[in-house]
Amino acid sequence: MKVLVTDPIADAGLDRLRDAGHDVQTAYDAEGDALLDAVADANALVVRSGTQVTDELFDAAPDLVIVGRAGIGVDNIDIDAATDHGVIVANAPEGNVRAAAEHTVAMAFATARSIPQAHGRLSDGEWAKGEFLGTELNGKTLGVVGLGRVGQEVAKRLGSLGMDLVAYDPYIGEDRAEQLGAELLDFEDVVERADFLTVHVPLTDETEGLIGEAELAEMEGGYVVNVARGGVVDEDALAEAADDGVVAGAALDVFAEEPLSAESPLLDAENVIVTPHLGASTAAAQEHVATTTADQVVAALNDEPVLNALNAPSVEESAFGRIEPYIGLAETAGKVAAQLFDGRIERVGVRYEGDIAEEDLDLVTASAQKGVFEPLEWQVNAVNAPRVAEERGIEVTETKTRQSEDFQSLVSVTVGNSDDDLTVSGTLFAGDDPRLVKIDGYRVDAIPHGHMLAARNRDEPGVIGFIGTALGEAGVNIAGMFNARETIGGEALTVYNLDEPVPGDALDALLADDRITDVRSIELNGE
């Protein structure tokens, strides 16, 4: 498959993609129509921060499966548009965490001790020892805005140097903050108390200009460090605050517009340090993000779950092995349920029983939705299935219980509407052998594979023989059969595994017999 790389990444990542058998093409200078032409037949796109991945680009790339961001920030990627097109967006959140954290610490020390300014003066032949009175970090208060991966690493490092830690992050619990030795506060309180304020948030509508004139005024005599995303700090306000002595210093590695314009007022502020987006620029970080991104691209092109997907349910690597077999089982149960149900599907329920209920199962539930929607011929995958359900007004529920009567773990998918519903349940035998064990209340032991037929009939002698004869006359070989009934002489359900699909006239012949109440072909595409 074609993998297009439009921003330079480490050779180790390119090699990993090629070793997986993919056609890797680079287009580092492509933009505009040239970029759209290059991506038109691409199955995967790998970018850093330089390529703008827009709705127009997704429209131009109908075969695109994944956009891999070799780094953590994704503000250059339209994730909503990606989701609408069913394209996975995945980043490499761990690859440059250490590098970004260390650069943040370096910038904090550099601005506290005016290291670049002193170096410049000395390089010019001036011994300005008496003009630089630094600030020690020990005993000062560090305010961390965004206590994610990088923010936590910065807190650990600077906390170990004797700084008091306060933090703002609405998505982090107090227990985790306490583990890091940080006091979790409202944003305004963090700004007011911080002697050093470090920023570790993505650029969004909510965070743009988050640190502005009012916040800088609250930090009188303090320092601001931003190695996260440009635009979070109001650069004009910061330059003015630095010039006026409102803040003692600042250090920025990222900017609203990059490269930074030579006209930027930040360049004229003597107590502001700037670096050209070097936060992830270490050899180890670049190799790590490149190989991590390549691994995710390979997984997506192999139709395997992507661990760091941002717009699709993902799962921790340590837990993936435990849920992996249930991903296909849930999708298959959903496909079977949708093909057996007679009516408009208005709701989908996914229920987990037994050991599996202890896991994080968002990815499995999304796969169940994909299975339900595929037979309806909707353009759907695990990425956009939840959005497709929402747009079409389909209610999706997920329930769990540790109790299971007959199986160690059981996955059930129910489809229904206000008039009726139907449930298909499955489990795994011997660890990874999928079986359908209940269909619409009937206990079965069916192997979900390839071409199948489900027949409802009166429990009378000769019915199964008649079905077998009819299939044989149609040239359809039976590979396996699983029969269940409610009561002797009541209704029975029989599931057949077949070597070929059942022709329409054979289905008509079966339904013409008054002992048979319903027959449904099930196609699982060999899965």
Side-chain angles (χ1 to χ4, degrees):
M1 293 188 178
K2 176 179 173 180
V3 180
L4 181 67
V5 184
T6 56
D7 295 314
I9 66 170
D11 289 342
L14 300 177
D15 292 341
R16 192 160 294 188
L17 292 166
R18 294 189 181 105
D19 290 344
H22 298 299
D23 174 22
V24 179
Q25 299 183 20
T26 59
Y28 297 152
D29 298 322
E31 54 185 35
D33 290 341
L35 175 60
L36 299 182
D37 289 342
V39 79
D41 59 346
N43 304 104
L45 175 65
V46 177
V47 303
R48 292 182 65 190
S49 59
T51 301
Q52 296 299 311
V53 186
T54 64
D55 187 40
E56 183 181 18
L57 184 147
F58 290 115
D59 283 337
D63 299 325
L64 201 61
V65 174
I66 182 172
V67 175
R69 166 65 165 99
I72 189 170
V74 290
D75 43 279
N76 58 313
I77 301 172
D78 188 335
I79 295 180
D80 284 339
T83 304
D84 288 339
H85 287 80
V87 178
I88 300 168
V89 177
N91 65 350
E94 302 288 352
N96 56 15
V97 166
R98 182 175 289 106
E102 290 184 359
H103 195 63
T104 301
V105 172
M107 294 284 267
F109 275 112
T111 187
R113 300 304 296 269
S114 302
I115 292 173
Q117 296 91 331
H119 170 80
R121 296 279 287 273
L122 188 56
S123 295
D124 291 338
E126 184 178 355
W127 187 264
K129 179 179 180 179
E131 297 188 26
F132 296 103
L133 184 63
T135 297
E136 294 183 12
L137 274 63
N138 178 57
K140 300 300 189 298
T141 297
L142 172 67
V144 181
V145 178
L147 205 56
R149 293 178 177 91
V150 178
Q152 290 183 26
E153 291 300 317
V154 170
K156 291 175 185 176
R157 285 160 171 76
L158 291 179
S160 69
L161 297 176
M163 298 194 78
D164 297 324
L165 305 179
V166 295
Y168 167 73
D169 192 321
Y171 306 108
I172 289 288
E174 291 187 3
D175 289 346
R176 180 55 181 154
E178 289 177 3
Q179 290 173 5
L180 296 165
E183 183 181 359
L184 210 57
L185 301 175
D186 292 337
F187 173 67
E188 294 79 8
D189 294 332
V190 169
V191 171
E192 182 179 356
R193 287 182 52 179
D195 298 306
F196 287 79
L197 190 71
T198 63
V199 178
H200 311 284
V201 296
L203 180 64
T204 65
D205 290 341
E206 291 75 23
T207 63
E208 185 172 10
L210 183 66
I211 312 297
E213 182 179 356
E215 290 73 26
L216 295 168
E218 290 292 332
M219 286 194 64
E220 185 170 359
Y223 298 83
V224 177
V225 179
N226 184 14
V227 184
R229 276 288 173 263
V232 177
V233 177
D234 185 326
E235 294 168 13
D236 290 338
L238 178 61
E240 183 176 348
D243 277 337
D244 293 344
V246 174
V247 295
L252 277 70
D253 183 53
V254 289
F255 309 93
E257 298 292 336
E258 296 183 359
L260 183 64
S261 169
E263 306 301 319
S264 171
L266 293 171
L267 299 177
D268 296 325
E270 290 186 5
N271 52 348
V272 174
I273 299 168
V274 293
T275 53
H277 206 144
L278 301 179
S281 295
T282 68
Q286 290 307 301
E287 181 168 331
H288 194 171
V289 298
T291 55
T292 297
T293 302
D295 287 343
Q296 296 189 96
V297 168
V298 170
L301 296 182
N302 287 340
D303 200 25
E304 298 171 355
V306 176
L307 300 184
N308 292 321
L310 298 175
N311 61 336
S314 60
V315 62
E316 294 290 337
E317 187 171 4
S318 61
F320 177 62
R322 297 193 296 274
I323 72 165
E324 181 180 15
Y326 292 93
I327 296 170
L329 177 64
E331 181 176 339
T332 298
K335 286 182 180 179
V336 173
Q339 292 178 75
L340 293 180
F341 186 68
D342 186 17
R344 172 181 169 79
I345 295 175
E346 297 176 352
R347 66 176 186 272
V348 177
V350 187
R351 180 175 175 83
Y352 303 97
E353 300 177 32
D355 292 351
I356 189 63
E358 295 183 344
E359 305 292 343
D360 179 353
L361 297 166
D362 287 350
L363 180 57
V364 182
T365 298
S367 297
Q369 294 176 65
K370 175 177 181 286
V372 170
F373 299 150
E374 272 191 351
L376 305 179
E377 298 184 352
W378 297 350
Q379 296 300 312
V380 65
N381 58 23
V383 177
N384 62 8
R387 180 166 294 191
V388 168
E390 181 180 359
E391 290 175 347
R392 293 178 180 257
I394 295 176
E395 178 187 6
V396 178
T397 58
E398 176 187 302
T399 57
K400 298 179 179 181
T401 175
R402 282 286 288 113
Q403 304 301 316
S404 180
E405 292 183 3
D406 301 310
F407 302 96
Q408 185 172 351
S409 291
L410 189 71
V411 177
S412 301
V413 179
T414 299
V415 298
N417 53 36
S418 57
D419 297 321
D420 199 8
D421 59 41
L422 183 143
T423 300
V424 174
S425 302
T427 191
L428 299 173
F429 288 176
D432 60 359
D433 183 16
R435 297 294 178 89
L436 300 182
V437 295
K438 191 177 292 187
I439 295 177
D440 202 22
Y442 290 92
R443 287 292 298 267
V444 297
D445 182 10
I447 299 173
H449 181 80
H451 311 291
M452 302 178 70
L453 181 76
R456 295 177 189 265
N457 54 270
R458 294 202 301 268
D459 181 35
E460 296 180 4
V463 178
I464 291 177
F466 168 72
I467 294 174
T469 299
L471 292 175
E473 291 175 350
V476 178
N477 189 53
I478 298 174
M481 183 189 77
F482 314 91
N483 180 251
R485 64 185 182 184
E486 292 178 331
T487 59
I488 297 176
E491 186 178 71
L493 174 74
T494 308
V495 180
Y496 299 85
N497 284 109
L498 308 172
D499 290 338
E500 301 84 19
V502 182
D505 56 354
L507 292 175
D508 292 339
L510 292 173
L511 287 171
D513 190 295
D514 61 7
R515 296 171 298 176
I516 298 173
T517 57
D518 189 34
V519 289
R520 296 294 176 97
S521 289
I522 302 168
E523 295 297 327
L524 296 179
N525 301 318
E527 296 178 0

